[in-house]
Amino acid sequence: MRCRLQTLFQRKFKISLLFLLLLALLVHLVLDFAFPTAQSPCSCDVKAPKAVGVPSGSPMLAGLTKLSLRILQDFSGSNGSLEKSSQPQKAGLHIRAGQPGVQQPHEVGNEGWTKGSKLAALFEHPLYKIPIPEVTEKDKLFIVNPMEKFSLRSNESDEWVSSSKAETLLPTGKTAYDTYPTWLKFHIGINRYELYPRQDPLLPTLLRDLATQRIISSVQKSGGTQLKLIMTFPNYGQALFKPMKQTRDQETPIDFFYFSDFERHNAEIAAFHLDRILDFRRIPPVSGRLVNITKEIRDITTDKKLAKTFFISPAGNICFYGECSYYCSTEHALCGKPDQLEGSMAALLPDKTLAKRRSWRSPWRRSYHKSKKAEWELNPNYCAQVRETPPYDRGHRLLDLIDMTVLDFLMGNMDRHHYETFEKFGNDTFLLHLDNGRGFGTHSRDEPSILAPLQQCCSIKKSTYLRLQLLATQPYRLSDLLREALAADPLAPVLAEPHLRALDRRLGKVLAVVGYCLARAARQEEVLVDDVGSWV
């Protein structure tokens, strides 16, 4: 009898438990149908596609690569810039330049410089009005899909969704381009001749986004010698974060080798503005930013290797160090005050699955050895050998490299071992000036060996030389221009005054080298290669 009662009780218990489980499931389903907008907007449960430099565990928004592929249609059929496996369905027509009713990506606009601004006067100078060649369809990095539109998920949200999920229609008169996030407009505007226009109305907005957009993902960038993070924003944009490693008034010790120097966040910021003042425009936009280590890195990262390196210092500050070849240890940890850490935020270029880039070894690369010297340091006629070697035997590749040499000398960067170009444009395009963190390490001494390409080849673009001469005059003094440009950054002052003063001294040395070449040359045209024609 007792056994029967036990069996009956067990059955009733199991039935009651099953009933409770079914009731809970029913309540869950009712809530889902009744409150569909309560779901998390980040769609983090969907597996995110792998991006360059992002670990597979990153919570980067699902569909980032898929979304970009849908909007940006690579039109290079010869170099396979877009992986076949990633090709979207060919639905809809492409926007063509000059198509009626379509706003083109970039228009010259006022950037809001104050009256009396030296920067405003500089960009109005005739040397900064020299037009680039006409940009044809084949000169654009991307073609836009006009069928794709974007909208905010809701008034309270800063997450952008595509037209297939948008809750509202576009206001009358707006084009699809008007709805794109600023980072996407920046990518669309890249062409064979420039990374962005001189007076790009997008720049202030893009820099503001880099400094203020909410961060939803932080993971360590793979590779490299020092720690860098990839930050993802709700509007699908991404930025490369380089944290502060030393104060602005510290100089690199004279006994340090160039390859063991720190990468400085403020050097990345200053390099972007200097590159723009020189009218090269080959560095992606960079802004300073104060990041909360706890809320914007530690609490949202899914990078397990990075997560293991967080700790609280004896002073009560939040610290981390990540994994890398150099300076990733508790002895070189990055610590907040108590959890606030400043760094540089650089807009990422289009993913390499969308726009392949080719990496080139610099002919004037250093040996990266403690005692050995490179060939260019031993052979005074080294440039003649370079001139006969592709891709430097034709076009303006060598002159572009000398432009980069001038930039590096001005900021004291000895670490230019490689550079990159967009593969689609072949040899006839600009060089990307990436990774400038080892600049602005010293102000009390200069490194003349950086100018070896200019000294040995005795060639420079006429436009570059004329702008350097202009920047050596009182109304357009280089140090004043860069000081003004950096004053608008959230981390101002970005550079210590001695670094700014060093720019004027170094500019004088660049002009002296060109002057020496002109004095030795039989004809001026041998040194100053004309790229401006009748515009000057």
Side-chain angles (χ1 to χ4, degrees), residues 441-455:
T442 60
H443 54 74
S444 59
R445 58 186 183 276
D446 305 328
E447 182 50 57
S449 64
I450 300 175
L451 282 178
L454 175 60
Q455 292 170 327

Side-chain angles (χ1 to χ4, degrees), residues 6-7 64 68 74 81 146 195 208 248 269 278 314 321 336 353 372 384 388 398 401 415 536:
Q6 287 179 347
T7 303
L64 171 60
S68 298
D74 188 285
S81 173
L195 197 57
R208 184 169 61 250
R248 288 153 174 72
I269 302 168
L278 293 171
Y321 51 87
T353 59
K372 291 183 179 179
E388 296 176 356
L398 180 59
L401 190 141
D415 189 39
V536 176

Side-chain angles (χ1 to χ4, degrees), residues 2-70:
R2 181 179 296 177
C3 184
R4 282 185 178 182
L5 287 174
Q6 287 179 347
T7 303
L8 183 63
F9 178 77
Q10 288 176 354
R11 286 180 180 176
K12 286 185 177 181
F13 178 76
K14 290 179 180 178
I15 292 172
S16 300
L17 184 61
L18 181 61
F19 176 76
L20 289 172
L21 290 173
L22 289 173
L23 183 62
L25 178 61
L26 182 61
V27 171
H28 182 72
L29 290 173
V30 171
L31 288 174
D32 277 351
F33 283 109
F35 307 101
T37 57
Q39 295 176 1
S40 171
C42 113
S43 302
C44 296
D45 57 321
V46 183
K47 289 185 179 179
K50 234 180 217 183
V52 174
V54 181
S56 58
S58 167
M60 184 176 60
L61 292 178
L64 171 60
T65 302
K66 186 176 180 181
L67 174 140
S68 298
L69 283 166
R70 188 165 64 245

Side-chain angles (χ1 to χ4, degrees), residues 330-436:
T330 52
E331 292 80 10
H332 299 98
L334 304 165
C335 297
K337 295 182 180 180
D339 55 5
Q340 298 294 309
L341 176 66
E342 64 178 65
S344 62
M345 296 282 275
L348 287 188
L349 294 172
D351 193 278
K352 291 183 180 179
T353 59
L354 298 172
K356 284 188 176 180
R357 302 197 301 270
R358 182 169 178 179
S359 179
W360 303 81
R361 183 186 175 111
S362 171
W364 279 270
R365 179 184 187 272
R366 297 178 185 275
S367 66
Y368 286 83
H369 192 277
K370 294 181 178 67
S371 56
K372 291 183 179 179
K373 289 189 175 183
E375 183 180 352
W376 59 267
E377 296 178 279
L378 303 172
N379 181 5
N381 297 318
Y382 181 75
C383 185
Q385 178 181 324
V386 174
R387 288 183 186 274
E388 296 176 356
T389 306
Y392 307 99
D393 58 341
R394 66 176 185 84
H396 50 81
R397 176 65 66 90
L398 180 59
L399 294 170
D400 285 343
L401 190 141
I402 290 173
D403 280 349
M404 188 166 59
T405 293
V406 171
L407 172 72
D408 285 335
F409 178 73
L410 290 174
M411 60 184 181
N413 178 28
M414 300 173 66
D415 189 39
R416 189 71 69 184
H417 45 82
H418 286 79
Y419 62 87
E420 295 184 18
T421 59
F422 287 109
E423 187 174 292
K424 177 178 183 176
F425 301 135
N427 190 44
D428 301 317
T429 188
F430 59 89
L431 315 185
L432 289 163
H433 300 167
L434 307 177
D435 294 332
N436 303 287

Side-chain angles (χ1 to χ4, degrees), residues 125-332:
H125 192 278
L127 284 172
Y128 289 78
K129 297 288 187 180
I130 301 172
I132 63 170
E134 181 184 358
V135 178
T136 63
E137 288 295 291
K138 66 179 181 179
D139 297 322
K140 297 177 182 178
L141 190 61
F142 296 114
I143 290 180
V144 185
N145 182 349
M147 306 302 293
E148 193 63 43
K149 303 172 184 176
F150 287 83
S151 174
L152 294 178
R153 184 178 290 276
S154 67
N155 292 334
E156 294 78 24
S157 170
D158 56 359
E159 182 194 3
W160 291 49
V161 294
S162 65
S163 57
S164 58
K165 298 179 181 178
E167 298 173 359
T168 58
L169 297 175
L170 286 172
T172 304
K174 278 197 173 184
T175 66
Y177 174 82
D178 295 323
T179 71
Y180 293 166
T182 310
W183 66 266
L184 184 54
K185 294 178 181 179
F186 164 57
H187 287 181
I188 292 171
I190 299 172
N191 61 60
R192 180 186 301 274
Y193 308 108
E194 57 188 4
L195 197 57
Y196 57 88
R198 287 189 183 97
Q199 297 186 23
D200 187 356
L202 295 177
L203 266 187
T205 305
L206 182 54
L207 292 173
R208 184 169 61 250
D209 285 352
L210 292 169
T212 62
Q213 275 275 329
R214 183 167 61 91
I215 299 170
I216 64 170
S217 169
S218 299
V219 294
Q220 184 169 346
K221 185 181 185 300
S222 61
T225 59
Q226 300 184 37
L227 183 140
K228 296 176 281 289
L229 302 177
I230 291 181
M231 307 294 210
T232 303
F233 306 127
N235 65 359
Y236 302 98
Q238 290 187 304
L240 183 67
F241 178 74
K242 286 191 177 182
M244 176 178 179
K245 291 187 172 72
Q246 66 181 49
T247 60
R248 288 153 174 72
D249 57 351
Q250 284 182 278
E251 278 201 278
T252 303
I254 194 169
D255 291 323
F256 265 38
F257 288 102
Y258 50 88
F259 49 80
S260 59
D261 192 12
F262 281 121
E263 290 184 11
R264 286 165 285 277
H265 71 299
N266 59 324
E268 294 286 358
I269 302 168
F272 160 67
H273 289 281
L274 177 60
D275 178 81
R276 187 178 176 215
I277 289 170
L278 293 171
D279 200 44
F280 296 153
R281 291 171 286 119
R282 299 163 193 169
I283 297 179
V286 186
S287 173
R289 178 161 181 164
L290 201 61
V291 168
N292 186 298
I293 297 176
T294 303
K295 296 179 180 179
E296 296 179 309
I297 302 179
R298 189 192 67 182
D299 291 354
I300 62 176
T301 188
T302 54
D303 188 332
K304 294 181 180 179
K305 292 182 179 179
L306 177 65
K308 291 179 180 179
T309 67
F310 286 87
F311 63 93
I312 299 177
S313 73
N317 296 321
I318 306 296
C319 306
F320 68 104
Y321 51 87
E323 288 190 358
C324 60
S325 303
Y326 295 96
Y327 306 124
C328 282
S329 62
T330 52
E331 292 80 10
H332 299 98

